[in-house]
Amino acid sequence: MVDLVKFWVRIGYLYARFTGTLNFEVDLKTGRTRVTRGATIYSAFANLFLISILAHHFGPSKIKCELWKDISSLHESVFMIVSWLRVSCALAALASRWYHRRRYIRLISCFRRLFLQNPEVMRLCRRGFISKCFVTSVAEIMQFLVSILTVWDKLTIALLLGIWGVMTVTAIMNVAITQYFFALGNARGHYILINRKLRALLGEAQSLGPRRKRRNGVFITKCCFLADRLDEIAQTQSEVQALIEGMSKIYGLQILCLCLTYYLTCVANIYILFSLYKYNGMTQSWSKLGMVAAAIFFIFYHIDCVINSYNVFYLLDAHQEMHKLLEQRNLFPGALDERLESAFDSFELSLARNPLNLKCFGLFRLNRYSAFDVGNSILINSVLLIQYDMQNY
């Protein structure tokens, strides 16, 4: 039976190498990374070729004027703003790959080392990763179909290259998002294991009961054994959190661009739904297959947004669950040995000094509260855009 996780990892790796997003090699069997001249040259050539194609595609042309002759200037402005932001996001991702190449390699090596210590992590994040890859692939395929079917009767080699450039931009964005998604999912898997070990340790510590006489060697030995296990749990948690924070710094600019892209795209999509209702002629030249592909793309694109958001939320939930487990220590019927008490205090103090905060380029936090605020802002700005359309067109 085919292992779907390995299948999607291999597809994602080849996809990243083909688009030039990944400028180093990774041995998929061992997870080892290496910088080679071939990977560097090909990635640089692919990046330069993409920039050339995009520069030509976004320039003025007769075909573009024919495509936009049936839409208003507001539709054209919304489309261009979203398109330029997506291109900027892709270029930022490519620039980050070159600037932080050594950091990316170290990050992969650190995740590889943690994975070798706990191979069952892959099983815990398996479902989310497969769902993410499937939804992203469907959305990308449907976007390609919509792009081709919309201009089928006007298709030329130049326009086909332009579509290839736009799809490459989408691919680069999806590669960056998927890599970040997989890293956060992997970290969440480690947190799940940490919480399981911590829950088992708390159960054993609680079964010890009140502290006996210090001469009881069995009780002291058991407490020291549990203290060593707790120190290992705390060390693993510290390493995972350090990786998350380091990853957030590396992906900071990309996350900011992606958040802005999602934000404006959601506003634009709501406005397009309104426009389809108001301007009946927008889809008259579309085939039924094109409309079905557009509907599927619209649905799966927003499902992908939800999956990406909840991947962050589930990681924060796992971290919060660890805090709640440590609070159970206060419910023990009696005091423990000083060694075990000290290990608990040290763990709690470390968490208090270094809280887990996922920030977007240091501007705002990634959590449910910020997502709720962003959702409200999307609705408000969509309504304002619709009102502007109704008053002026």
Side-chain angles (χ1 to χ4, degrees), residues 125-244:
C125 58
R126 172 188 182 87
R127 182 180 302 175
F129 183 62
I130 293 175
S131 300
K132 164 65 181 175
C133 292
F134 173 75
V135 170
T136 301
S137 299
V138 172
E140 194 165 332
I141 292 172
M142 291 302 105
Q143 182 184 357
F144 176 73
L145 282 178
V146 171
S147 302
I148 291 293
L149 294 174
T150 303
V151 297
W152 182 256
D153 56 340
K154 305 178 184 67
L155 194 61
T156 62
I157 295 178
L159 191 56
L160 189 61
L161 286 175
I163 293 175
W164 180 87
V166 172
M167 293 306 302
T168 303
V169 167
T170 301
I172 292 171
M173 292 177 58
N174 286 335
V175 167
I177 297 171
T178 303
Q179 289 176 348
Y180 188 69
F181 179 96
F182 183 74
L184 289 185
N186 193 280
R188 182 170 65 90
H190 283 288
Y191 265 102
I192 293 174
L193 288 179
I194 289 171
N195 290 339
R196 287 180 181 177
K197 295 177 181 179
L198 185 59
R199 191 178 291 108
L201 186 145
L202 289 170
E204 294 182 36
Q206 191 170 10
S207 65
L208 294 175
R211 181 172 55 187
R212 299 173 178 83
K213 296 180 179 179
R214 295 183 179 278
R215 295 180 180 179
N216 189 333
V218 176
F219 176 78
I220 297 176
T221 302
K222 182 65 175 177
C223 285
C224 290
F225 174 70
L226 293 178
D228 291 337
R229 285 171 51 188
L230 185 59
D231 288 339
E232 292 179 359
I233 293 173
Q235 178 63 28
T236 302
Q237 188 278 330
S238 178
E239 292 178 0
V240 173
Q241 183 169 334
L243 282 177
I244 295 172

Side-chain angles (χ1 to χ4, degrees), residues 302-313:
H302 289 89
I303 291 176
D304 187 46
C305 293
V306 173
I307 290 176
N308 292 330
S309 300
Y310 272 90
N311 187 51
V312 176
F313 300 157

